[in-house]
Amino acid sequence: SSISRTVTSMTAMEVCDGMPKESSPFINNTDHDKGNLYDGKNMALFEEEMDSNPMVSSLLNKLANYTNLTQGVKEHEEADDEEGPARSKKPVKSPALGTLIGVYLPCLQNILGVILFLRLTWIVGTAGIMESLAIVVMTCSCTMLTAISMSAIATNGVVPAGGSYYMISRSLGPEFGGAVGLCFYLGTTFAGSMYILGTIEILLTYIVPSAAIFKAEKKEDEPEALLNNMRVYGTCCLTLMSLVVFVGVKYVNKLALVFLACVILSILAIYAGVIKTAFEPPDFPICLLGNRTLQNHNFDQCLKTMKVGNVTVTTKLWSLFCDSPDFNATCNEYFTLNNVTVIQGIPGLTSGVIRDNIWGDYGPKGMLVENKHQMSEPAADTSQDIYMPYVANDITTFFTLLVGIYFPSVTGIMAGSNRSGDLRDAQKSIPIGTIMAIATTTFIYISSVILFGACIEGVVLRDKFGDSVKGNLVIGILAWPSPWVIVIGSFFSCCGAGLQSLTGAPRLLQAIARDGIVPFLQVFGHGKANGEPTWALLLTGGICEIGILIASLDAVAPILSMFFLMCYLFVNLACALQTLLCTPNWRPRFKFYHWALSFLGASLCVSLMFISSWYYALVAMLIAGCIYKYIEYRGAEKEWGDGIRGLSLNAARYALIRLEEAPPHTKNWRPQMLVLLNLESDHTVKHPRLLSFCTQLKAGKGLTIVGSVLQGTYMIKEDEVKKAEQSSMATERTKGFCHVVASSNLRDGFSHLIQTAGLGGMKHNTVLMAWPGTWKQSNDPVSWKNFIETVRETTAANQALLVAKNVDSFPTNTDRLGEGTIDVWWIVHDGGLLMLLPFLLRQHKVWRKCKMRIFTVANMDDNSIQMKKDLQMFLYHLRLDAEVEVVEMHDSDISAFTYEKTLVMEQRSQMLKQMQLSRTEREREIQSITDTSRSSIRRKNQTGASGSESDPSRQLEGTQEDEVAQLIHDRNTASHAALNDKPDTGPDRVHMTWTKDKFLSERNRNRSEVNMGVRDLFNMKPNQSNVRRMHTAVKLNEVVVNRSQGAHLVLLNMPGPPKNRSGDENYMEFLEVLLEGLNRVLLVRGGGREVITIYS
């Protein structure tokens, strides 16, 4: 575009000339320059942002050229690119499939299939018309409601190739997406098994029964022989189909329409046959013995005896029930007592047979198929019935089983959305095509149930394999013009559906693998150069083989029902969730949805799962749950703007608002930690064990905010801040939040963190930090002054403070401390935090074996025995197990050692102060030399204005205390201060201007003071208050070291800092003396509230 040319030419000119042309006030360039420089001047204001924010025109141009290619085509293009740029790229056709070809017909092909042809008549006969209609209505309602939800999701933006998996994962997040995607994959794979089993059943039962390898010698061995035949032929068929898919998917897609034509022709043949039965029913006689249906395989005449010429002879039927063809042979008792009768298998629409088929006839395995309206003489001995050629139930039948077997006949509604990449207008085609396909198939199923019940005799309907009609397909004998139309049609239909499943399932697995959410599936993301998923096809074939080894269509159908129902359940949940959350991005073009419909669909899915098979339902849910947890723990972090994240945000907001209503009760109080970390120059954590200790203290519960400060401004340090945030949390795998701020100095930064970290009720109540171990060695007092200011600020904020000394020697999360003690030195009561911390630590496996000891100090006038009893009773009420010891500290004279130590401390402090003054003076001198033209400005508030004006020296003395801590701040904010140097500042500001003469006289006065101070150092006496404090620190240290030197951890009350800031350094010295000789110490300062209670 012209804008980009402008920016490029300007950049080139800047590089060549060393300075930009625009800085020139005159327009005296050559014509060539002018053309380049002022081209596209309309948008010059925005030209610096063109790289990150493109022009609207270029954005729309990109959108117009966007082609939503299928994954395979994209990969094919990429493979071409890799082979070399010289090779000409083939032009890719933009997707051009409409609603009919792209969605409606594929959905029809996937929905109508094996169950319709092989099992629907048997379901109608077993369950009856009414209950069969209930099954159809329930299952079709489930798929219709799911289709409505799916249409809403599919029309909410562009759905790339990947269909249902893509929709669910982007709506519910990677965990649910992965779990449901794998369930859908398993469902599609087992559907492949079911179609292959259907193909082999049609082949061996109806087309070429003689091809069976395993043949049953006796009737009772027939089911086992059939299963073995299914296993052998099924495995061969699976291998053949896998090879076809591997060699060329395009052939499968081209044959899809042929297979669909077979299905439609078969259905039309059925309807034609039904109409024909109204005036000319086909002749399919059924032979009954008494009221029992006979397998019409090994006899021609339904007669016991017949006349050949003038001689009466026995028939083949006689031989089946008697031990010889003679009249005096021993025959089966029931055969002797009952006569044989012939009835029509298809009486026709007008026969009134519908009345007999209204209600079902369930029964156990082996129950004989009987016509209740025929007369029958029961036999006394029924033990031989299983060896006789009767038609019997091959499995135990009940309503819920039939639901599970029937449900696969309504699956396949995702076929349209799976092809979303090939559609001209997916957002229009998917809802219309899918809902029309479901409406069409629902009509076909409901009409089929009624028409089968109205045309076919009940005993024939219940005859699953057509044994009573000479081994014909039951639905085939109804068809016109010939049963072979249905047999061949259903055979090709099952073949096509099996190939489609073996084509679709590996692609789904490849899509999941390429998303990278399930690490162990990564290998299945690879394939051939053109993107064909070879490894995924191998795995799919392996899982398919499991279904084929089960070998029974009736056993495989409920398995895939579960996986499809799981998938539909989550589609409905995704739609309901998005609707209820009112996500700003939820704007489906399909408007005929409602969250109540989606919830109804989800409820129906769960109900059908447990109706079909409660144990399969539990197994499917367990598999989905395991995948969910696996992705949660091991999977890649993905942010897809999913609904579960939105739900979490809503729940968090609601919980935070509820938390704001009242402060937590003492019983609910737990340390919510703000961990103040110092970072090295490369942004690594200075004391990583501080994070380990925090994790051990929380035992996985409560809030953790890890706070760090980088010196500088945010505009400059933005990238470093983000890098530091990532490294801080990764160091010890701490669960919590990270908060890194950029500030002009560390003191202000930590102050901001203490004030602002957290949100609402989720604010920290405890600050954890490391003891500044090198404060004595450092010449710069900033480190310990920052530390003391942090202590003061936590106290002011009513927050508890934990200071860990020798933190690098604390145990890591993988350590396991052996037998030992956690010693608590309870000197003053400040809310009971000292008691609570050891209890919390011992919940963690690192400290679990440690015992708790509590020491308290008794003075001369205390009754130590009574104190111990009271303390034991107090701990008993607190339900804490601890040893109790009362340590008596007798009054003793202040030792010479204490006096000497105090004196050395004060001398050192004084000397550092003098050195610091001279250093500050040097800073001022450099400042004045480099910037003599600009004055150093101090802003003071109203109260100190008059004093500052009259006496500059008083101003200096007044700011000495804060000068060191503010030094860095002054340097960094000098530029900001310069902005405020305006003459019209309000009357509440007083500006002190330092002239050069005034500065020199002030410097000479300070130097004389410094010299006087150095001479006085050796004549000074220690302050009495300091001596007493040092005495306490020395004596207490002796007692603690004596009792607790071998403890794993010592917890100690932390004394507060002095109110007078001039004693800050002495305070650090007192703490250093107090902690001398102890390895792991935790100084504890309460937040001014009770944190432990004896009440329940």
Side-chain angles (χ1 to χ4, degrees):
S1 66
S2 59
I3 298 294
S4 59
R5 287 200 304 275
T6 308
V7 176
T8 311
S9 61
M10 285 176 67
T11 310
M13 292 169 78
E14 284 179 27
V15 171
C16 297
D17 300 354
M19 78 181 276
K21 296 274 185 185
E22 282 191 324
S23 60
S24 168
F26 305 108
I27 306 175
N28 54 359
N29 302 317
T30 62
D31 289 340
H32 173 71
D33 286 346
K34 191 182 293 180
N36 282 338
L37 193 62
Y38 293 100
D39 188 23
K41 56 187 175 294
N42 291 346
M43 292 296 149
L45 192 61
F46 299 95
E47 63 195 11
E48 289 185 5
E49 298 176 21
M50 291 295 174
D51 291 339
S52 56
N53 304 340
M55 288 288 295
V56 173
S57 55
S58 59
L59 172 72
L60 294 175
N61 189 36
K62 280 180 188 172
L63 285 176
N65 291 335
Y66 173 73
T67 52
N68 192 3
L69 304 174
T70 56
Q71 205 168 26
V73 174
K74 285 183 182 175
E75 283 147 6
H76 199 66
E77 278 187 9
E78 286 162 14
D80 286 349
D81 290 345
E82 285 167 13
E83 284 175 24
R87 181 172 167 175
S88 61
K89 190 186 287 186
K90 295 175 187 175
V92 179
K93 291 180 183 176
S94 60
L97 294 181
T99 305
L100 184 71
I101 303 293
V103 182
Y104 180 73
L105 293 179
C107 281
L108 273 189
Q109 184 193 355
N110 277 265
I111 295 170
L112 299 168
V114 60
I115 301 293
L116 170 66
F117 299 120
L118 295 185
R119 291 290 181 271
L120 191 59
T121 52
W122 172 72
I123 289 171
V124 173
T126 308
I129 293 172
M130 297 306 291
E131 289 182 35
S132 298
L133 284 175
I135 293 172
V136 172
V137 169
M138 266 200 310
T139 51
C140 290
S141 302
C142 176
T143 52
M144 180 61 85
L145 291 169
T146 305
I148 291 170
S149 298
M150 186 191 74
S151 300
I153 297 172
T155 58
N156 186 51
V158 178
V159 178
S164 55
Y165 160 69
Y166 183 92
M167 288 192 297
I168 296 164
S169 61
R170 268 51 175 186
S171 298
L172 289 177
E175 293 89 0
F176 278 112
V180 179
L182 285 173
C183 280
F184 191 50
Y185 164 73
L186 290 172
T188 311
T189 308
F190 275 107
S193 302
M194 186 186 76
Y195 291 128
I196 291 170
L197 290 173
T199 306
I200 302 305
E201 187 176 307
I202 294 166
L203 183 74
L204 293 180
T205 312
Y206 307 114
I207 299 178
V208 276
S210 57
I213 298 169
F214 300 91
K215 291 185 166 57
E217 297 295 325
K218 300 175 185 173
K219 179 178 177 285
E220 61 269 22
D221 296 333
E222 283 177 3
E224 193 57 41
L226 176 65
L227 293 180
N228 287 330
N229 284 320
M230 300 279 269
R231 288 181 183 117
V232 173
Y233 277 98
T235 304
C236 297
C237 183
L238 171 63
T239 309
L240 189 65
M241 284 185 176
S242 299
L243 280 172
V244 170
V245 171
F246 179 75
V247 169
V249 179
K250 55 186 176 183
Y251 303 118
V252 176
N253 291 331
K254 283 177 182 173
L255 287 170
L257 284 174
V258 177
F259 297 137
L260 177 62
C262 292
V263 175
I264 293 169
L265 282 173
S266 302
I267 290 167
L268 291 175
I270 293 166
Y271 281 117
V274 167
I275 294 165
K276 187 171 179 289
T277 63
F279 49 86
E280 190 185 333
D283 182 30
F284 279 98
I286 308 297
C287 188
L288 301 178
L289 176 63
N291 62 0
R292 297 177 181 179
T293 315
L294 297 178
Q295 292 185 353
N296 193 353
H297 287 302
N298 300 321
F299 59 91
D300 301 320
Q301 303 287 330
C302 185
L303 297 167
K304 289 185 180 181
T305 57
M306 63 179 182
K307 283 194 174 183
V308 178
N310 292 325
V311 182
T312 303
V313 295
T314 57
T315 60
K316 289 183 179 179
L317 183 62
W318 181 283
S319 305
L320 294 173
F321 285 90
C322 303
D323 55 5
S324 76
D326 302 328
F327 285 106
N328 59 354
T330 306
C331 292
N332 178 269
E333 184 186 356
Y334 188 83
F335 181 74
T336 311
L337 292 172
N338 291 279
N339 291 322
V340 289
T341 50
V342 177
I343 60 169
Q344 278 300 323
I346 301 176
L349 266 178
T350 54
S351 64
V353 76
I354 191 168
R355 287 192 299 273
D356 302 333
N357 294 330
I358 288 288
W359 302 111
D361 188 12
Y362 302 106
K365 180 180 178 180
M367 186 186 86
L368 304 180
V369 175
E370 298 174 343
N371 187 334
K372 299 287 192 262
H373 300 289
Q374 293 290 334
M375 298 297 294
S376 171
E377 286 291 329
D381 180 21
T382 57
S383 60
Q384 297 300 308
D385 288 350
I386 59 168
Y387 305 112
M388 297 296 124
Y390 297 126
V391 177
N393 284 352
D394 63 332
I395 54 171
T396 303
T397 53
F398 42 90
F399 178 77
T400 57
L401 172 79
L402 299 184
V403 175
I405 292 173
Y406 175 76
F407 188 80
S409 65
V410 295
T411 61
I413 60 170
M414 301 284 189
S417 64
N418 288 347
R419 291 163 171 257
S420 55
D422 302 324
L423 300 173
R424 191 185 306 120
D425 184 1
Q427 297 195 3
K428 180 184 173 187
S429 298
I430 289 174
I432 295 172
T434 307
I435 290 169
M436 287 300 293
I438 293 172
T440 307
T441 52
T442 304
F443 170 77
I444 290 170
Y445 285 133
I446 289 174
S447 61
S448 297
V449 166
I450 295 168
L451 293 173
F452 292 165
C455 292
I456 306 173
E457 183 62 51
V459 291
V460 180
L461 286 173
R462 290 198 295 282
D463 180 6
K464 187 186 284 185
F465 299 109
D467 292 320
S468 61
V469 284
K470 295 190 181 296
N472 277 305
L473 182 61
V474 174
I475 200 172
I477 61 173
L478 182 63
W480 179 87
S482 161
W484 285 101
V485 175
I486 299 288
V487 172
I488 301 300
S490 59
F491 177 78
F492 282 117
S493 162
C494 289
C495 278
L499 282 170
Q500 291 283 358
S501 296
L502 287 176
T503 310
R507 273 165 182 65
L508 181 60
L509 184 63
Q510 189 181 43
I512 298 168
R514 286 188 169 174
D515 262 346
I517 53 172
V518 187
F520 70 83
L521 291 180
Q522 296 283 11
V523 66
F524 300 110
H526 307 300
K528 289 196 288 188
N530 63 346
E532 291 303 318
T534 315
W535 293 107
L537 180 62
L538 276 174
L539 181 68
T540 304
I543 297 171
C544 237
E545 181 61 22
I546 296 170
I548 285 165
L549 291 177
I550 294 171
S552 167
L553 188 72
D554 303 323
V556 173
I559 296 174
L560 70 104
S561 296
M562 287 307 124
F563 290 124
F564 277 118
L565 280 165
M566 282 287 287
C567 181
Y568 296 167
L569 165 68
F570 283 104
V571 169
N572 283 306
L573 280 181
C575 180
L577 191 65
Q578 298 274 35
T579 310
L580 286 174
L581 286 176
C582 302
T583 317
N585 191 48
W586 180 246
R587 303 186 297 275
R589 286 192 179 280
F590 179 77
K591 301 297 180 191
F592 305 101
Y593 69 93
H594 193 269
W595 63 265
L597 289 176
S598 300
F599 267 126
L600 182 62
S603 310
L604 206 49
C605 287
V606 174
S607 307
L608 284 171
M609 283 174 76
F610 283 93
I611 286 171
S612 304
S613 169
W614 64 267
Y615 45 91
Y616 277 157
L618 291 176
V619 169
M621 286 179 166
L622 183 68
I623 291 171
C626 289
I627 298 166
Y628 178 93
K629 294 309 285 184
Y630 176 79
I631 295 170
E632 191 177 51
Y633 284 117
R634 294 291 310 281
E637 287 289 326
K638 298 280 182 184
E639 175 49 70
W640 287 333
D642 50 87
I644 293 295
R645 187 171 174 80
L647 186 64
S648 303
L649 284 170
N650 265 11
R653 180 187 62 83
Y654 176 76
L656 282 171
I657 291 169
R658 289 290 304 273
L659 277 174
E660 277 280 53
E661 291 175 5
H665 191 272
T666 304
K667 287 186 284 188
N668 293 330
W669 194 95
R670 66 164 64 245
Q672 315 283 14
M673 311 292 290
L674 169 63
V675 187
L676 298 180
L677 288 180
N678 286 322
L679 300 178
E680 304 282 12
S681 55
D682 60 347
H683 306 308
T684 55
V685 177
K686 202 168 190 178
H687 300 295
R689 298 287 176 90
L690 207 58
L691 291 172
S692 305
F693 181 69
C694 177
T695 305
Q696 294 156 24
L697 195 58
K698 295 191 310 116
K701 307 290 192 300
L703 172 73
T704 301
I705 302 172
V706 178
S708 300
V709 178
L710 292 178
Q711 283 188 260
T713 60
Y714 185 70
M715 298 295 286
I716 300 165
K717 299 276 183 178
E718 180 188 356
D719 294 335
E720 291 181 37
V721 165
K722 287 171 184 168
K723 205 181 296 175
E725 282 185 346
Q726 290 163 0
S727 66
S728 296
M729 297 304 285
T731 309
E732 292 293 312
R733 289 186 174 179
T734 308
K735 287 187 178 179
F737 308 99
C738 191
H739 196 173
V740 179
V741 297
S743 178
S744 55
N745 60 56
L746 291 175
R747 175 183 159 186
D748 286 355
F750 284 130
S751 176
H752 294 155
L753 281 172
I754 290 167
Q755 292 174 59
T756 61
L759 178 67
M762 286 293 279
K763 284 186 77 71
H764 61 279
N765 55 26
T766 307
V767 176
L768 174 63
M769 60 194 297
W771 171 261
T774 58
W775 72 274
K776 269 190 171 181
Q777 289 77 26
S778 172
N779 292 326
D780 191 3
V782 171
S783 64
W784 57 263
K785 278 190 177 283
N786 281 349
F787 172 77
I788 295 171
E789 286 305 315
T790 306
V791 175
R792 286 197 174 102
E793 277 169 356
T794 52
T795 308
N798 294 325
Q799 291 171 6
L801 177 67
L802 309 178
V803 179
K805 186 169 188 276
N806 298 332
V807 70
D808 294 325
S809 69
F810 276 52
T812 63
N813 290 331
T814 54
D815 293 341
R816 299 291 178 270
L817 295 178
E819 297 290 335
T821 60
I822 301 173
D823 287 0
V824 177
W825 284 83
W826 191 23
I827 297 156
V828 294
H829 178 66
D830 55 0
L833 186 58
L834 270 173
M835 309 288 183
L836 191 61
L837 292 176
F839 169 76
L840 293 173
L841 277 176
R842 288 177 62 213
Q843 306 299 307
H844 197 275
K845 48 197 169 189
V846 173
W847 302 88
R848 196 159 285 158
K849 292 182 181 176
C850 297
K851 290 181 180 174
M852 180 175 163
R853 293 195 303 180
I854 295 186
F855 297 91
T856 189
V857 176
N859 293 320
M860 279 295 290
D861 51 350
D862 293 328
N863 182 345
S864 56
I865 298 168
Q866 187 60 40
M867 271 181 76
K868 186 171 182 176
K869 283 183 181 174
D870 292 345
L871 183 53
Q872 283 172 333
M873 182 54 69
F874 181 55
L875 289 176
Y876 175 76
H877 284 311
L878 287 176
R879 289 94 63 205
L880 294 174
D881 296 324
E883 294 176 22
V884 173
E885 205 167 323
V886 177
V887 179
E888 294 182 353
M889 283 186 70
H890 302 294
D891 284 346
S892 59
D893 294 334
I894 291 169
S895 64
F897 168 77
T898 304
Y899 189 85
E900 184 68 29
K901 202 164 181 64
T902 313
L903 183 60
V904 169
M905 173 188 79
E906 292 195 355
Q907 283 177 344
R908 179 179 179 277
S909 178
Q910 191 65 27
M911 189 176 285
L912 279 173
K913 198 175 285 182
Q914 303 297 348
M915 287 165 64
Q916 187 58 39
L917 274 173
S918 57
R919 194 167 79 95
T920 311
E921 180 191 296
R922 281 202 307 277
E923 296 276 356
R924 284 215 186 109
E925 198 160 346
I926 292 162
Q927 182 98 5
S928 69
I929 292 164
T930 53
D931 195 9
T932 45
S933 63
R934 206 172 60 194
S935 57
S936 172
I937 293 163
R938 286 273 182 209
R939 287 179 297 188
K940 300 295 278 181
N941 57 23
Q942 190 85 35
T943 56
S946 56
S948 303
E949 210 166 2
S950 60
D951 188 359
S953 65
R954 263 177 68 187
Q955 183 202 358
L956 263 176
E957 288 163 12
T959 55
Q960 262 173 19
E961 285 176 18
D962 295 327
E963 211 153 58
V964 178
Q966 289 291 339
L967 193 60
I968 301 165
H969 181 77
D970 289 347
R971 271 189 231 149
N972 276 315
T973 54
S975 58
H976 299 300
L979 293 173
N980 294 323
D981 293 349
K982 294 174 184 172
D984 57 345
T985 310
D988 57 331
R989 305 278 185 197
V990 175
H991 297 277
M992 242 345 269
T993 307
W994 287 79
T995 61
K996 195 170 182 183
D997 295 338
K998 193 178 286 187
F999 178 77
L1000 289 170
S1001 64
E1002 185 63 33
R1003 187 180 67 186
N1004 292 333
R1005 192 174 75 81
N1006 276 341
R1007 276 181 181 166
S1008 62
E1009 280 181 12
V1010 170
N1011 295 335
M1012 293 274 289
V1014 173
R1015 282 199 297 276
D1016 292 341
L1017 267 179
F1018 301 103
N1019 303 325
M1020 66 187 291
K1021 289 183 180 180
N1023 184 303
Q1024 282 302 310
S1025 171
N1026 287 346
V1027 173
R1028 283 190 298 106
R1029 285 191 173 90
M1030 183 64 80
H1031 175 70
T1032 307
V1034 170
K1035 296 300 289 181
L1036 197 53
N1037 175 256
E1038 282 176 12
V1039 174
V1040 175
V1041 169
N1042 187 30
R1043 304 295 179 95
S1044 300
Q1045 196 163 23
H1048 283 317
L1049 181 65
V1050 177
L1051 282 84
L1052 195 65
N1053 282 115
M1054 182 179 186
K1059 290 178 181 167
N1060 182 10
R1061 290 172 191 268
S1062 60
D1064 281 359
E1065 193 184 357
N1066 300 343
Y1067 172 69
M1068 294 295 288
E1069 193 75 54
F1070 295 143
L1071 290 181
E1072 195 73 63
V1073 170
L1074 181 62
L1075 306 178
E1076 202 172 341
L1078 296 170
N1079 182 22
R1080 295 186 192 126
V1081 186
L1082 188 68
L1083 287 171
V1084 180
R1085 189 161 171 73
R1089 64 162 291 170
E1090 290 293 331
V1091 300
I1092 195 165
T1093 178
I1094 63 173
Y1095 299 106
S1096 63

